[in-house]
Amino acid sequence: MGTGIEALRSTELEAKLIAIRRQLHQYPEVAYEEFETTRAIRKWLEEADIRIVDFPLQTGVVAEIGANNNSGPIIALRADIDALPIQEETGLPYASKIPGKMHACGHDFHTAVILGAAYLLKQQEKTLAGTVRFLFQPAEEKGTGARQLVERGVLEGVHAIFGLHNKPDLEVGAIGIKPGPLMASVDGFEIDVEGIGTHAAIPHAGVDPIVAASQIVTALQSIVSRNVSPLDNAVVSVTTIHGGTTWNVIPDKVVLGGTIRTFQEEVRARIPERLRAIIEGVASAYGANVHLRWFAGPPPVHNDEKLTQLSIDVAKKVGLQVVTPEPSAAGEDFAYYQLKIPGSFIFFGTSGTEEWHHPGFTLDERALLPGAHYFAELAASALKDR
Ligand code: NI
């Protein structure tokens, strides 16, 4: 393996990875609808004589490379494969051909990088110190794909897992790696605030859920300011308020919705009870009733110390520039794998022009080949390390 990303370029592999990424980009499929994507990934694996492992999955693919079946450790590399319900506005010649759908989070890039790593590892299959398992995971954007794969047993026998996300604000050639918390937990809530409807001019005859809901929105902000240590962090955002139909009627119900993000499991565990106490207390002060629905999403992404050090060592070895990334309050369902086995999640520099989920989201394809080399080298090193 050469050193320096320049030495890794201008090969046939790069052309192949660009073609793969562009095909995925033109035909994006959203969570649990990745049927053509799954077919294409299977084809690209089979063409390279890489063995596909059968798990009961509607979409998504699991594959393996190893010298001897089931001898030695198993290391997993994970790519997510789903797109978003966004209308692409990049104007690129290979822009999405599917109206209203777009790879606006760069999961096409992740898939191509991990396929590239598989191609490279296939060339050294006989000398690998164990098995590399590739997870092409559906439905990351729903936050449920990883959990489903874990339930289907894809981590059985796996010792460690690595995953990546492209990072628009890091240059090609840079890689963001840090131990500990990297991405936030993602929980959601809905609150029904129930009052008694009445004429807008005769409010005393009813119970106004709009006034009660307004107080709840404000009061919820005290969770972060008064219940979370200044040394920890959390976000409580109310993002939807629905109630009322016209100007002269006080409605009988308002529905609030929102999300809670944090990097600390202890903080995450305390928030629902504080939220419930506040909404019940405020509602009762106004004579209203509340019903809370809680939607627990992925926990925080928390990187294993030892694997992270290995990720850094390998990055330096292949000539990438290692930076310490700022944690992102976005979520990642990679965290579900890390609940089961040690893992390291890595930000890969792609010199993007827009943030994730933007209709103008782009990335620099010169990051594909270094990505493939890096994850191949990382998996091979992790096997030797065991
Ligand atoms: Ni993403």
Side-chain angles (χ1 to χ4, degrees):
M1 168 151 301
T3 53
I5 62 161
E6 289 305 323
L8 304 177
R9 286 204 191 122
S10 48
T11 65
E12 263 175 70
L13 180 59
E14 180 166 47
K16 168 105 180 152
L17 298 184
I18 289 174
I20 286 173
R21 188 254 159 173
R22 290 187 180 185
Q23 182 178 328
L24 293 170
H25 195 81
Q26 288 179 77
Y27 300 97
E29 293 175 303
V30 298
Y32 295 124
E33 294 175 12
E34 310 96 334
F35 295 102
E36 291 307 319
T37 305
T38 296
R39 250 190 287 281
I41 294 168
R42 288 183 78 103
K43 189 192 81 178
W44 287 319
L45 290 164
E46 281 161 0
E47 278 170 4
D49 202 21
I50 294 167
R51 124 179 130 253
I52 290 169
V53 190
D54 275 324
F55 283 95
L57 302 173
Q58 285 266 317
T59 55
V61 185
V62 179
E64 269 183 9
I65 290 173
N68 308 295
N69 282 350
N70 303 324
S71 80
I74 306 178
I75 298 295
L77 295 180
R78 176 272 208 168
D80 43 10
I81 65 171
D82 58 325
L84 286 157
I86 292 177
Q87 179 65 41
E88 180 159 352
E89 290 172 14
T90 61
L92 287 167
Y94 55 89
S96 171
K97 292 186 192 292
I98 313 291
K101 291 177 189 169
M102 177 189 180
H103 269 294
C105 203
H107 298 182
D108 51 346
F109 173 82
H110 307 160
T111 304
V113 162
I114 297 303
L115 272 168
Y119 292 158
L120 290 165
L121 286 162
K122 183 67 185 176
Q123 294 164 16
Q124 37 175 312
E125 187 163 30
K126 298 228 157 33
T127 58
L128 285 178
T131 300
V132 183
R133 185 174 292 173
F134 303 89
L135 311 181
F136 296 95
Q137 178 213 303
E140 193 286 323
E141 297 293 356
K142 271 218 156 71
T144 52
R147 206 175 51 197
Q148 187 192 49
L149 258 59
V150 171
E151 283 164 5
R152 304 282 152 89
V154 304
L155 290 186
E156 267 161 41
V158 179
H159 294 84
I161 185 165
F162 298 95
L164 79 153
H165 211 290
N166 68 85
K167 200 75 171 64
D169 60 352
L170 293 182
E171 296 292 309
V172 173
I175 188 165
I177 313 176
K178 76 176 276 297
L182 183 68
M183 298 184 78
S185 60
V186 181
D187 295 320
F189 60 84
E190 264 179 15
I191 305 164
D192 292 339
V193 183
E194 292 171 352
I196 297 170
T198 179
H199 194 293
I202 316 174
H204 54 284
V207 172
D208 188 345
I210 290 186
V211 171
S214 305
Q215 297 294 335
I216 285 172
V217 171
T218 311
L220 287 180
Q221 292 310 313
S222 75
I223 295 176
V224 173
S225 66
R226 299 295 89 173
N227 302 126
V228 174
S229 157
L231 303 180
D232 291 334
N233 34 36
V235 180
V236 176
S237 288
V238 175
T239 52
T240 61
I241 304 181
H242 290 117
T245 51
T246 188
W247 67 285
N248 58 359
V249 175
I250 290 172
D252 60 359
K253 182 167 135 180
V254 170
V255 183
L256 303 174
T259 185
I260 287 162
R261 312 286 171 111
T262 177
F263 294 96
Q264 296 90 20
E265 268 298 341
E266 319 78 70
V267 174
R268 185 188 187 206
R270 277 204 310 274
I271 287 179
E273 86 191 59
R274 284 308 305 145
L275 185 129
R276 184 178 286 283
I278 287 168
I279 67 173
E280 285 176 353
V282 173
S284 113
Y286 288 85
N289 288 314
V290 282
H291 298 286
L292 173 64
R293 289 179 292 282
W294 191 261
F295 309 102
V301 168
H302 198 277
N303 285 337
D304 178 79
E305 237 16 86
K306 215 171 136 247
L307 293 178
T308 302
Q309 192 52 52
L310 179 73
S311 310
I312 292 171
D313 294 344
V314 171
K316 287 179 177 162
K317 188 178 160 197
V318 303
L320 292 165
Q321 183 211 342
V322 180
V323 299
T324 303
E326 257 190 38
S328 166
E332 237 300 337
D333 74 355
F334 186 80
Y336 285 117
Y337 301 118
Q338 294 175 309
L339 287 181
K340 298 280 176 192
I341 59 171
S344 181
F345 195 70
I346 291 156
F347 286 150
F348 210 81
T350 47
S351 304
T353 50
E354 307 292 346
E355 252 311 329
W356 301 326
H357 297 202
H358 190 283
F361 176 88
T362 58
L363 50 81
D364 189 330
E365 290 172 331
R366 284 179 304 164
L368 281 166
L369 190 60
H373 275 285
Y374 173 69
F375 281 94
E377 183 68 23
L378 182 57
S381 302
L383 286 176
K384 269 186 236 147
D385 225 44
R386 294 285 316 177

